Amino acid sequence: MKIAVCDDSKKDRESLIKLLREYEKSKSKEFEIAEYDCGEALLENNAYLHSCQIIFLDINMTHLSGLETAAAIKNLYPKILVVLVTAYMNYALDGYKVRASRFLVKDDLSVSIMECMDALVGEIEQETRTIEFPFVEGKIRLKINDIIYIETARHKNVFYTKEGSYNIYKKLDEIEEELRDFGFVRIHQSFLVNMRYVRKISSYVLTLTTGKEISVPKARYAEVKKQYTLYKGVV
């Protein structure tokens, strides 16, 4: 697994890389870690970015900021998972705008890095993870990350995916249980949503990256926002 650490502070780069090496050892993983002292240097290395999976970016760098670097990277390589690292919490909303996967505070890295890496590694491994369902159309194996949301319609549930829609006569409660560990959130009785496709949640409305808007009941709103915040790693 290839990881890039970009920070104009050598001390902060070394501290983060040390934590990543400790995680690597504890989880019996194997990382290739490249370090950069500015966003410009990182963006110039297209060969590394092409195969890189995770990037840790300091937000407050001189010249090209971490936010500007993240925006450029996500435009070129949308599948790269970007983690924004800073000493200040007030950049969290900006992190969403550049499609950051996580937002970490430097003072808390020794505590938060384990959970963060568990989530990111799990997401990368999940990219190829599949699950089979007995749809009306027949038994079909889907990539979990291709499922956008599931909606109850009359006496069946409809899976809306990147490849099309599929119908199943199975209770949403049962489907929710099967997908419990894969980043799905129950909006209300009729919707189960893959949080990787959530663009924003505000004013009791959840907006997907497809543009679809789903009303969130007042009774569930706080819990849905909490789950999404935990999923994004802004804690």
Side-chain angles (χ1 to χ4, degrees), residues 54-72:
I54 301 172
I55 296 177
F56 287 87
L57 279 172
D58 175 33
I59 288 182
N60 302 101
M61 292 187 290
T62 54
H63 304 300
L64 198 65
S65 73
L67 289 170
E68 292 169 320
T69 305

Side-chain angles (χ1 to χ4, degrees), residues 79 127 145-148 160-164 196-197:
K79 288 191 176 182
E127 193 68 37
N145 280 352
D146 285 350
I147 302 170
I148 302 171
Y160 291 91
T161 78
K162 293 172 69 174
E163 303 300 324
R196 71 183 280 117
Y197 292 102

Side-chain angles (χ1 to χ4, degrees), residues 6 23 66 83 99 125 127-128 133 145 152 182 191 198 203:
C6 185
Y23 177 88
V83 180
R99 294 169 286 166
E125 291 175 346
E127 193 68 37
T128 57
F133 288 98
N145 280 352
T152 300
F182 300 112
F191 279 94
V198 175
S203 303

Side-chain angles (χ1 to χ4, degrees), residues 90-137:
N90 57 329
Y91 288 102
L93 290 177
D94 293 316
Y96 287 129
K97 294 176 183 177
V98 296
R99 294 169 286 166
S101 296
R102 289 291 187 280
F103 182 94
L104 301 179
V105 178
K106 288 189 175 184
D107 289 344
D108 298 330
L109 279 178
S110 60
V111 175
S112 60
I113 195 68
M114 292 291 286
E115 182 279 330
C116 175
M117 285 302 296
D118 277 346
L120 296 179
V121 171
E123 186 171 343
I124 290 168
E125 291 175 346
Q126 184 179 312
E127 193 68 37
T128 57
R129 197 170 298 174
T130 62
I131 188 167
E132 187 175 87
F133 288 98
F135 294 111
V136 173
E137 295 81 0

Side-chain angles (χ1 to χ4, degrees), residues 74-91:
K74 293 297 281 187
N75 282 335
L76 293 170
Y77 305 97
K79 288 191 176 182
I80 292 180
L81 303 179
V82 173
V83 180
L84 295 173
V85 186
T86 185
Y88 308 101
M89 274 296 294
N90 57 329
Y91 288 102

Side-chain angles (χ1 to χ4, degrees), residues 137-152:
E137 295 81 0
K139 286 187 177 181
I140 298 173
R141 183 167 290 276
L142 297 173
K143 283 186 178 181
I144 291 171
N145 280 352
D146 285 350
I147 302 170
I148 302 171
Y149 69 95
I150 302 156
E151 179 183 9
T152 300

